[in-house]
Amino acid sequence: MSYQVKLKDRIAHVEILSRQKEQLLVSVDGKEYALDFVKIGKGSYSILYQNKSFNVELIPINGIKKYDVNTFKNSFEVEIIDAESKYLASRKQTQDSDDEAVITSPIPGKVVKLFVEKGDTVEAGQTVLVISAMKMESEFKAPKAGVVSAVNVSEGQSVDSRQELVIIDFH
Amino acid sequence: MSYQVKLKDRIAHVEILSRQKEQLLVSVDGKEYALDFVKIGKGSYSILYQNKSFNVELIPINGIKKYDVNTFKNSFEVEIIDAESKYLASRKQTQDSDDEAVITSPIPGKVVKLFVEKGDTVEAGQTVLVISAMKMESEFKAPKAGVVSAVNVSEGQSVDSRQELVIIDFH
Amino acid sequence: MIKKVLVANRGEIAVRIIRSCREMGIQTVAVYSDADRCALHVLYADEAFHIGPSPSTESYLNIDNILRAARQSGADAIHPGYGFLSENADFSARCNDAGIIFIGPSPYAISTMGDKITARKTMMAAGVPVVPGTEGEIDSEEEALRTIEEIGLPVMIKASAGGGGKGMRLVKNDKEVKSALRAARSEARSAFGDDAVFIEKYIESPHHIEYQILADAHGNVIHLFERECSVQRRHQKIIEETPSPILTPERREQMGEAAIAAAKAVDYRGAGTIEFIVDKDLNYYFLEMNTRLQVEHPITERVVGVDLVKEQIHIANGEPLKLKQSELKQQGHAIECRVYAEDPDNNFMPAPGKVTHIDIPYGVGVRVDGSIYEGFEIPLYYDPLIAKLIVWGKDRTEALERTQRALKEFKITGVKNNLKFLERIIQADGFVQGDYTTHFIDENKDFLMRNDPCDQNCEDIVIVTALMEYLQKLEKASPKEMTALKNNWKDFTRVRSVFRL
Amino acid sequence: MIKKVLVANRGEIAVRIIRSCREMGIQTVAVYSDADRCALHVLYADEAFHIGPSPSTESYLNIDNILRAARQSGADAIHPGYGFLSENADFSARCNDAGIIFIGPSPYAISTMGDKITARKTMMAAGVPVVPGTEGEIDSEEEALRTIEEIGLPVMIKASAGGGGKGMRLVKNDKEVKSALRAARSEARSAFGDDAVFIEKYIESPHHIEYQILADAHGNVIHLFERECSVQRRHQKIIEETPSPILTPERREQMGEAAIAAAKAVDYRGAGTIEFIVDKDLNYYFLEMNTRLQVEHPITERVVGVDLVKEQIHIANGEPLKLKQSELKQQGHAIECRVYAEDPDNNFMPAPGKVTHIDIPYGVGVRVDGSIYEGFEIPLYYDPLIAKLIVWGKDRTEALERTQRALKEFKITGVKNNLKFLERIIQADGFVQGDYTTHFIDENKDFLMRNDPCDQNCEDIVIVTALMEYLQKLEKASPKEMTALKNNWKDFTRVRSVFRL
């Protein structure tokens, strides 16, 4: 069976050819890899490839399909492309634009200012809310003109990273 | 509801009087404790009692009733006494002696020598098997005379701590 | 003799102070806000007292609550750490009034050094070089113009009560003087409620070099050499080292004497730091004095072989200094890297959150001071400094090589951090050559923001590993979780784009 | 110049060697047995090669497999660490034959020092004091009796090829001589296939003090002072410190010169250790030479300010020593505690198993070298040494206080370990006073086996916490697990007693 995995702009086709205990034979975009592949802890792997030692650590992002991945030298975001992702991607391609924008914060913080209510019309670039964390304030702006269809937070509220804060509808 | 907890030779009677978030009110053998009680990780707790800071770590032993417990200064084995334990204890008291001895190793290791088979008669003090770990060999002996009723391991086999190795029947 | 110390702080410095107290057999009391019930300093201290809600104004800056905790616990001394109340003259005075030893200088020393104009005047009187400029605050625009004519452009207009770059204006040509002066005053008024400003010569390629001093209650003052702190981003230090790669032995000694003179001028007692600005010709000028322990104090501890927190406590006990200036030496080279919970790839946005995994570097020459543990939720209310890596080498080359090694071993997952950014600083030419000013970060932005290359093998292995983890999780997912996954999918049928800053 | 090093070892020393290689920009190759696929040295090295099944005779002692891995990886040098093949003259020779640099001394130096009688003769010829006794091996019982008459009782009869206490007999009175001689020979024959024995004066209250030396290929030999290693249990060192609390400056220098003479006598090259036995009057006698890095080398690194692994590599590269004897100094005091996976409460039985949690001590003056991580399964095939705590203080008092602090912070759960036992050693009167011999552990057994008291509050809190954990687990237990619990109960209806050693 073949899988698709996305790393940065690359979508790799991966096939698992065989697995016997630690010995894993896979092909990535046609290139074969014989790996000595061992899980050594939660989300933590040791891989020997041609006797080179690689340590890979994965932290799941919202579910099981996306991971922050750390190696000795690099950090990546990797996504497994399954039927759902493909469907979404295909829908996205057939449309001219997105239906809506979901404003999220990449970090946890506290909403110190909220400038919109549900139903408000916003301009592109208009500041929608301000989040404060560790004594630094960050403004969040509307990417395009639209109408606020949902406001899920209030001033003074603590929010998680990637939590949906405000949704702006473009239609 | 009242519980019984065993620590060394002491059996303490514990009653949980109330719990509101971190604030835990309990009585141990009649002495009341108002504790600020927080779980900070797997089996790891921070407790403030009269502003004294206690850190307690628990490692379960074979199930959920027995724990190795570490504090800043001490280590204990603690056991929760429930109906099952009480029943066993009462049965034990009404009998003159145990029915059988189960020989276990307190540490993981490798069986380097096995001197008995099922059905063998053994004398008190007779060496039953030898376990080796980290280049040190330990002899395991029969506590009383009896008949070997089960041998669950063979020479060269690796064994876990507390695994039942040999059972000797005294009747 | 101090028997019980309340540490009026949090984070790595609170833990660090408790460590030295414990080594001295002194009992320790932690204080904590709502957000810090599970913080390491609370777990690590002998006792812990709650002092208020999460915002620091209501807890770590709340003098009444802290003094109440001190009384309740029976602490006979308070260590303020750095930040928070450490340079608050009122707090020092309130401790004295309450009969509790404040482990730090007198209110007089704090307030004299806390006001930039007063400090400047005091230093000039003591013969410590200051940046050429006005002696006191500016009374008129004419005076400003006269001063500028004297010292020459460019100049910096600074708020007397200032800090953090507020109320500061750089003037490069004559025409800008008046408008810059007005802007600085108005900004100073709204930021600090005080529009006093003064003018200083602007040093073009400055080094930030500071001196550690110790002063006892018997008039003995010594310096423990310098720390080079020029690697800064927005006035926040990132990497410090000692010895400074640019100082000569003669200049080192001169500046040390100036630092001692500065401390003596305010009858200083305790540990303090004299910050100098140094130009490319090694002219040095007093910048300010930090009347407390510095974040970067461990590199001095390492090369001089001293425990500064213990020295602070001995001094607070009234004991005379045992260290003699003539016996002190810098042994080898030490570097400190500050690990921040921030995202260098996203404009250094702070990144609170839950730490899921930590790999701490060990082994020869490595010290780590930190305040996080696996499962700890870094609160969003406080400073993003979560750990300090202090590395020693027999010389600067070995210290650099070892710092690289240690940074590569250091892994913190769950929260974004600047470990890779630190690694790139250590690799940057200017840093390796020891030839850098406070403009270093800006001047090397391109190099510092670059990611290490990952060849195809490395990428492919990452891809395979993520897939294997996914497949294993898919297999283990319970029916309930599968439903959740499906519902998730339904949510997605309306196309959304998720915007981040 | 060495570019790639294969580390023919495992555990903390393999990781420690890789660290220094990495700092020098040298590529590293790990080797591993079946049991060690997930060991830290494999994860940490650039490359890793499998060299055989778990028993060390089939892997870490398998010269052919190790040389094959060296060839395959293109390593130009092999570092043997300590133990395993590090003092195997044949291995050193085989490396030379294969054109691979052996980071250690020549086969000649290893074999000369490896045989006790040859070493003894060589030392006597070089003027290094040896314990009074026979010059070579004993040929007859008459010779034995004559020797004993010369040096006086008590004496020790030792196997020439001996080690680990085998083939050793203490003789306290005349009547025992003959039978002891026969027993020692027969034991030596069956243990080492060689019944050669010799006789030495028995030192009643000995100190075990060793000297670190470095020798380059150009005839330069220096010593890096002593390590006091008298805290031993069954000939296994537990705690070491430097400087030794009993040496005078004069004796320190004399012994250093003797150590250099010993190394020169075998044309030594690399890092080595001369072990001396020292009596209560500070008479010192050569005991043996360890022709490799020692477990306790980090305390020397700390007080002298040197990285011994790097020095080994420089020497192997043919570079002359940069360190000069006259410039070396002991700065402050360092103590090493060896953390073993063993159960002090159960006759020090070794305790392999899975590490569930580790709290490592950090902060000022603390270094940790280790090989375990959370989730790691300590294999049952190898030495129980899992970590070393190395603590520095400006003097012995501070080093002791800091060691106590660090040991209290140090927690390893999941496997039994000797951390509490180490803490009690540090607290024992004899140790605190620096007045201890190799009999220290035996003489202080009662104190060392004592547990810290736990008052009623402490006990009660432990009880409550265990109960709360139990109740939480009970609540979360799935129906399947509940069935298992019940079945377990059924098993128990037949009364059993579980015997442990």
Side-chain angles (χ1 to χ4, degrees), chain C residues 70-121:
Chain C
R71 270 192 303 275
Q72 279 179 19
S73 64
D76 43 22
I78 291 183
H79 195 304
Y82 53 68
F84 294 132
L85 295 170
S86 62
E87 292 182 289
N88 184 314
D90 183 38
F91 184 54
S92 169
R94 294 273 308 272
C95 287
N96 293 346
D97 295 346
I100 293 167
I101 298 171
F102 177 77
I103 301 177
S106 65
Y108 164 74
I110 297 176
S111 57
T112 305
M113 286 303 193
D115 181 85
K116 294 200 173 190
I117 291 178
T118 316
R120 195 174 154 82
K121 284 183 185 166

Side-chain angles (χ1 to χ4, degrees), chain D residues 131-181:
Chain D
V131 179
T134 47
E135 193 181 334
E137 62 188 74
I138 299 285
D139 283 328
S140 64
E141 289 180 3
E142 288 69 42
E143 197 189 332
L145 288 167
R146 215 180 316 124
T147 307
I148 290 170
E149 206 160 311
E150 256 174 61
I151 61 177
L153 283 170
V155 299
M156 190 66 100
I157 303 175
K158 288 183 175 179
S160 180
K166 270 180 187 153
M168 269 170 71
R169 279 290 182 288
L170 172 63
V171 183
K172 289 196 170 171
N173 66 60
D174 285 329
K175 287 176 223 152
E176 298 165 9
V177 176
K178 284 188 186 175
S179 67
L181 197 59

Side-chain angles (χ1 to χ4, degrees), chain C residues 23 44 398 405 409, chain D residues 23 44 310 398 405 409:
Chain C
E23 291 175 14
Y44 191 55
E398 189 179 53
R405 185 270 288 176
E409 283 180 33
Chain D
E23 292 175 13
Y44 191 56
K310 287 184 189 165
E398 189 179 53
R405 184 269 288 176
E409 284 180 36

Side-chain angles (χ1 to χ4, degrees), chain C residues 16 19-20 22-24 44 301-302 305-307 310-311 331 360-369 374 392 394 398 401-402 405 409, chain D residues 16 19-20 22-24 44 301-302 305-307 310-311 331 360-369 374 392 394 398 401-402 405 409:
Chain C
R16 190 257 166 277
R19 282 201 170 105
S20 286
R22 185 153 285 158
E23 291 175 14
M24 295 173 85
Y44 191 55
E301 295 188 319
R302 190 56 175 86
V306 65
D307 183 323
K310 286 184 190 165
E311 295 299 329
Q331 303 278 352
I360 302 251
Y362 303 118
V364 56
V366 173
R367 164 180 174 185
V368 175
D369 277 30
E374 288 180 9
W392 180 88
K394 68 178 195 297
E398 189 179 53
E401 288 166 354
R402 191 165 282 159
R405 185 270 288 176
E409 283 180 33
Chain D
R16 191 257 165 278
R19 283 202 169 105
S20 286
R22 185 153 285 157
E23 292 175 13
M24 296 174 84
Y44 191 56
E301 295 189 319
R302 189 57 176 84
V306 65
D307 183 324
K310 287 184 189 165
E311 295 298 328
Q331 303 279 352
I360 301 250
Y362 303 119
V364 56
V366 172
R367 164 180 173 185
V368 174
D369 277 30
E374 288 180 9
W392 179 88
K394 66 178 197 296
E398 189 179 53
E401 289 166 354
R402 190 165 283 158
R405 184 269 288 176
E409 284 180 36

Side-chain angles (χ1 to χ4, degrees), chain D residues 301-468:
Chain D
E301 295 189 319
R302 189 57 176 84
V303 299
V304 178
V306 65
D307 183 324
L308 287 169
V309 172
K310 287 184 189 165
E311 295 298 328
Q312 288 186 300
I313 293 172
H314 289 312
I315 292 168
N317 268 329
E319 298 167 44
L321 280 172
K322 288 204 185 94
L323 300 163
K324 303 266 167 285
Q325 188 69 57
S326 58
E327 291 165 9
L328 296 182
K329 246 189 86 180
Q330 289 168 303
Q331 303 279 352
H333 199 96
I335 297 177
E336 175 183 274
C337 296
R338 300 191 187 191
V339 183
Y340 291 112
E342 64 183 17
D343 185 359
D345 296 329
N346 205 346
N347 198 26
F348 295 89
M349 192 178 259
K354 190 170 185 169
V355 177
T356 54
H357 186 70
I358 317 177
D359 277 331
I360 301 250
Y362 303 119
V364 56
V366 172
R367 164 180 173 185
V368 174
D369 277 30
S371 59
I372 58 172
Y373 58 86
E374 288 180 9
F376 179 63
E377 184 100 26
I378 300 170
L380 56 93
Y381 297 94
Y382 316 110
D383 194 89
L385 180 71
I386 51 175
K388 303 186 310 203
L389 170 68
I390 302 104
V391 172
W392 179 88
K394 66 178 197 296
D395 50 30
R396 190 170 190 267
T397 306
E398 189 179 53
L400 282 174
E401 289 166 354
R402 190 165 283 158
T403 303
Q404 277 243 43
R405 184 269 288 176
L407 283 171
K408 275 202 200 300
E409 284 180 36
F410 211 153
K411 304 239 154 41
I412 299 171
T413 48
V415 295
K416 301 275 184 194
N417 59 73
N418 67 333
L419 283 165
K420 297 247 178 262
F421 184 70
L422 290 167
E423 235 185 274
R424 289 190 294 266
I425 293 176
I426 296 292
Q427 294 163 345
D429 277 350
F431 191 81
V432 172
Q433 286 149 25
D435 174 24
Y436 57 89
T437 69
T438 54
H439 304 308
F440 170 78
I441 298 285
D442 280 339
E443 287 169 0
N444 291 274
K445 213 170 257 175
D446 287 347
F447 178 84
L448 298 177
M449 296 313 292
R450 209 162 66 185
N451 279 309
D452 280 326
C454 177
D455 64 16
Q456 199 202 328
N457 288 348
C458 152
E459 264 197 28
D460 286 356
I461 283 166
V462 163
I463 285 167
V464 170
T465 310
L467 176 63
M468 296 303 287

